Amino acid sequence: MSSEAISEGARASGFWRGFQMGLPVVVASAPFGLLFGALAAEQGFSIFEAVLMSVTVYAGASQMVGIELFGQNLSPALIVFSIFAVNFRHVLYSAALGRRIRHWPFVEKAIGFFFLTDPQYAVAEAKGERGEEVSFAWYIGVAAPIYVCWVVEAALGAQFGKLIPDTHAFGLDFLLPIYFLGLVMGFRKRPLWLPIVIASAIASIVAYKTVGSPWHVSIGAAAGILLAAVMPIKKSDQPETSERSEVL
């Protein structure tokens, strides 16, 4: 068997291993995709516009904030800054992921950063912590089912969301904070996890009451980062490799 055939087989194998990792995320994110489509239709978006936003933006929290702000006659600059504030964490994700994919060509890195979502970052970071290579084929294998289903769910939500008269009455809007809470709990074995979470939560609540939404997201994240930077990590607090692999 030639080296090209072996390499091609390795890429295909990596893709399907990643694909299997992405399927559970599809199930978990399905309510958000449907909810976005329903809320977009509620705000006057057409099905095409809702789908186009999911195809091009591909960021659940930012899309939710965007459709809320589009109907408030705000300046485009303020909307852009608000979405930037919500998505500021992706700057940190990109910095952390960059060390895992520094061997990728530029184009592959650009594609990888486009598909960088919360769960995508979590599974890639966990794979890197286990000492395993984060290959482009594996990474795209994770992203492909999540992205395709996210777009399809936006269309379904926009088409059939009107059948639900009031999405808030069903508590569907509470799914997003539950989702992020699950991600935070996944990293509970990291050093200084509890004080950082408490500091972020307090700063976010204070900012929400004083500065307002969506800046409380970035301010809460900044407070947690600042505390993590100034607090020393004891050797006894550092998790073993087997523990780090359980962050998910």
Side-chain angles (χ1 to χ4, degrees), residues 2 4 17 29 41 45 98 100 120 123 136 151 155 161 176 181 192 194 199 203-204 214 219-221 235 246 248:
S2 67
E4 289 80 4
R17 284 199 301 272
S29 63
F45 281 56
R100 308 291 187 194
Q120 185 87 28
V123 295
F136 181 71
V151 173
L176 192 61
L181 180 62
L192 306 177
L194 184 59
S204 182
I219 293 174
K235 278 192 174 180
E246 296 174 2
L248 293 179

Side-chain angles (χ1 to χ4, degrees), residues 152-171:
V152 171
E153 288 153 9
L156 293 175
Q159 176 65 39
F160 300 107
K162 293 179 180 177
L163 299 177
I164 304 175
D166 183 4
T167 54
H168 297 283
F170 288 85

Side-chain angles (χ1 to χ4, degrees), residues 169-190:
F170 288 85
L172 296 179
D173 54 323
F174 197 63
L175 288 173
L176 192 61
I178 291 176
Y179 169 71
F180 282 109
L181 180 62
L183 287 178
V184 171
M185 291 300 295
F187 291 95
R188 63 190 179 280
K189 293 183 179 179
R190 292 283 185 91

Side-chain angles (χ1 to χ4, degrees), residues 78 81-82 84-86 204 207-208 211-221:
L78 182 58
F81 275 118
S82 299
F84 176 81
V86 171
S204 182
Y208 183 80
V211 183
S213 177
W215 302 105
H216 64 294
V217 177
S218 296
I219 293 174

Side-chain angles (χ1 to χ4, degrees), residues 53 57-69 77-93 116-118 176 179-180 183 204 208 212-222:
M53 193 171 185
V57 179
Y58 187 45
S62 296
Q63 291 178 224
M64 299 283 189
V65 171
I67 60 175
E68 288 288 339
L69 297 181
L78 182 58
I79 294 175
V80 170
F81 275 118
S82 299
I83 293 177
F84 176 81
V86 171
N87 250 9
F88 178 76
R89 68 189 187 283
H90 282 261
V91 176
L92 307 177
Y93 289 169
L116 182 58
T117 59
D118 299 294
L176 192 61
Y179 169 71
F180 282 109
L183 287 178
S204 182
Y208 183 80
S213 177
W215 302 105
H216 64 294
V217 177
S218 296
I219 293 174

Side-chain angles (χ1 to χ4, degrees), residues 5-64:
I6 294 174
S7 178
E8 187 65 29
R11 282 195 290 270
S13 176
F15 177 87
W16 288 113
R17 284 199 301 272
F19 191 90
Q20 292 171 359
M21 292 289 295
L23 291 180
V25 181
V26 169
V27 176
S29 63
F32 308 120
L34 296 170
L35 178 61
F36 165 74
L39 293 177
E42 191 175 283
Q43 293 291 332
F45 281 56
S46 66
I47 297 177
F48 173 77
E49 290 168 337
V51 170
L52 182 63
M53 193 171 185
S54 285
V55 168
T56 56
V57 179
Y58 187 45
S62 296
Q63 291 178 224
M64 299 283 189

Side-chain angles (χ1 to χ4, degrees), residues 130-142:
R130 291 195 297 269
E132 301 174 5
E133 179 189 2
V134 179
S135 68
F136 181 71
W138 175 87
Y139 188 92
I140 293 301
V142 176

